[in-house]
Amino acid sequence: MPGDALVVYTALEDDELAVYLRAFKKAHPEIQLNVVRDSTGVISAKLLAEKDNPKADVVWGLALTSLMACDNAGMLKGYSPHGLDTIKPGFYDDRNKQAHWVGIKAWMTGFVGNTIEMDRLGIVMPRSYGDLIAPQYRGRLVMPNPASSGTGYLTVSAILQLMGEERGWDYLDALDKNMAIYTHSGSKPAKLAGKGEFPIGISFAYRGFKQAADGEPVITTLPTEGSGWDLESNALVKKGRIKPEARVFLDWAISADMMKLYAKVYPIVAADIEVAAPPGYPEDPTQQLIKNDFYWAAENRERILKEWSRRYEGRTQ
């Protein structure tokens, strides 16, 4: 019956989600899913709005900083899924007897540039956050809005953590002067750069490397200061009745077969497995990641987004 379907909230990208759902149907044809998919910001807001009457049974692939906000609000129920022993330290909640969240894969900030457009405009590929505020990029950059995109938030959070808040906001003011538009999707800046609609997108790095491997005229660089990153994570929603299928789903979602599928999208996965990365991707991408204080990023998320929106919201498309 439709009313008995397992309700899954997710912010996973549409193209990868289709692959994963086929795998679930093959593994568990007896379980019906009702999947609600949207951007990180929309899913996070929906979860928090439904706090007193939760609709979701599980959360799948939501940015950890957003999931922690739900946990801080008392919305998650501890569950350590089968296979947790295969997950790397730091990629799951080890502060509670039963894990309140378990990561599946990490993604990080990168710059994606269209080589044809950059040559036409006479500009060079940025290599650092510092490069991005140079006058040559005035009106030529695109990045995600952190209020709606997990990629946007991890990038802003990284800048504030690396530079400190006072200097970080000054930097974001300067960056805003070079911004053509902000997008609601973390992958859209890379896609727009790939199509040549804008020369450079601040996006998640793997998307750019994948687009180049697929033949698009783009190159991707990683900021020399280190990349912001976040961890797509799963959790069990606390509610009056916990469906048994919810735990089955969370077991499946960190299984060895799923980790192999996740690795086809992001080379940094929560389990220690060999990953085939596209040409140009760092051999050890974990060395590129900043020292990320997830707890600070989660606790200050609402305040940071409010300030960012006050300053820059007007040009989001």
Side-chain angles (χ1 to χ4, degrees), residues 40 46 67 81 85 90 107 109 135 150 182 184 205 223 251 276 280 299 302:
T40 298
K46 188 173 178 62
L67 203 53
D85 58 333
W107 81 109
T109 303
Y182 297 97
H184 286 299
D251 291 348
E299 289 170 3
E302 185 176 351

Side-chain angles (χ1 to χ4, degrees), residues 9 15-16 49 52 73 85 100 119 152 235 243 246 268 274 295 309:
Y9 281 12
D15 50 0
E16 58 183 290
D52 296 328
D85 58 333
H100 283 211
D119 286 346
K243 298 173 185 174
I268 308 174
E274 288 190 17
Y295 293 94
S309 296

Side-chain angles (χ1 to χ4, degrees), residues 33-277:
L33 299 181
N34 178 7
V35 178
V36 178
R37 190 269 159 199
D38 216 311
S39 67
T40 298
V42 172
I43 291 296
S44 302
K46 188 173 178 62
L47 284 163
L48 291 166
E50 295 170 356
K51 176 189 173 191
D52 296 328
N53 185 24
K55 305 293 191 298
D57 294 304
V58 299
V59 182
W60 179 30
L62 185 66
L64 178 55
T65 46
S66 295
L67 203 53
M68 281 182 169
C70 296
D71 196 23
N72 291 340
M75 297 170 58
L76 305 182
K77 184 173 179 62
Y79 174 60
S80 296
H82 178 72
L84 187 64
D85 58 333
T86 67
I87 303 300
K88 301 172 188 174
F91 279 65
Y92 66 92
D93 170 30
D94 60 2
R95 292 191 171 191
N96 295 285
K97 188 174 181 180
Q98 290 288 314
H100 283 211
W101 55 267
V102 179
I104 53 175
K105 51 193 171 81
W107 81 109
M108 63 181 174
T109 303
F111 311 145
V112 183
N114 185 298
T115 55
I116 297 172
E117 282 300 296
M118 288 190 297
D119 286 346
R120 183 181 71 81
L121 295 168
I123 59 177
V124 299
M125 190 68 194
R127 304 282 172 177
S128 68
Y129 297 118
D131 288 347
L132 291 176
I133 60 175
Q136 67 174 310
Y137 303 118
R138 188 64 51 89
R140 292 169 173 168
L141 304 180
V142 186
M143 75 169 279
N145 181 327
S148 52
S149 161
T151 303
Y153 185 65
L154 67 86
T155 301
V156 170
S157 172
I159 288 165
L160 296 178
Q161 290 187 57
L162 285 167
M163 300 181 185
E165 289 206 47
E166 183 175 354
R167 192 165 142 252
W169 285 115
D170 287 345
Y171 170 84
L172 290 169
D173 285 343
L175 182 64
D176 180 65
K177 294 176 182 177
N178 285 352
M179 207 61 58
I181 61 170
Y182 297 97
T183 68
H184 286 299
S185 162
S187 60
K188 192 170 183 179
K191 293 175 182 177
L192 291 172
K195 294 175 182 177
E197 295 186 34
F198 296 95
I200 297 167
I202 303 169
S203 191
F204 61 88
Y206 187 75
R207 174 67 68 167
F209 287 107
K210 184 69 166 57
Q211 288 176 204
D214 291 340
E216 294 185 22
V218 297
I219 57 174
T220 300
T221 58
L222 301 172
T224 55
E225 301 94 334
S227 291
W229 63 289
D230 209 330
L231 188 61
E232 289 184 345
S233 302
N234 309 334
L236 182 64
V237 176
K238 184 188 292 184
K239 54 198 307 188
R241 174 177 173 253
I242 303 292
K243 298 173 185 174
E245 294 86 352
R247 293 185 171 90
V248 173
F249 181 91
L250 292 171
D251 291 348
W252 166 85
I254 65 163
S255 63
D257 287 343
M258 284 308 299
M259 286 295 162
K260 291 174 185 176
L261 286 182
Y262 297 145
K264 292 182 178 181
V265 183
Y266 297 163
I268 308 174
V269 295
D272 190 12
I273 63 172
E274 288 190 17
V275 177

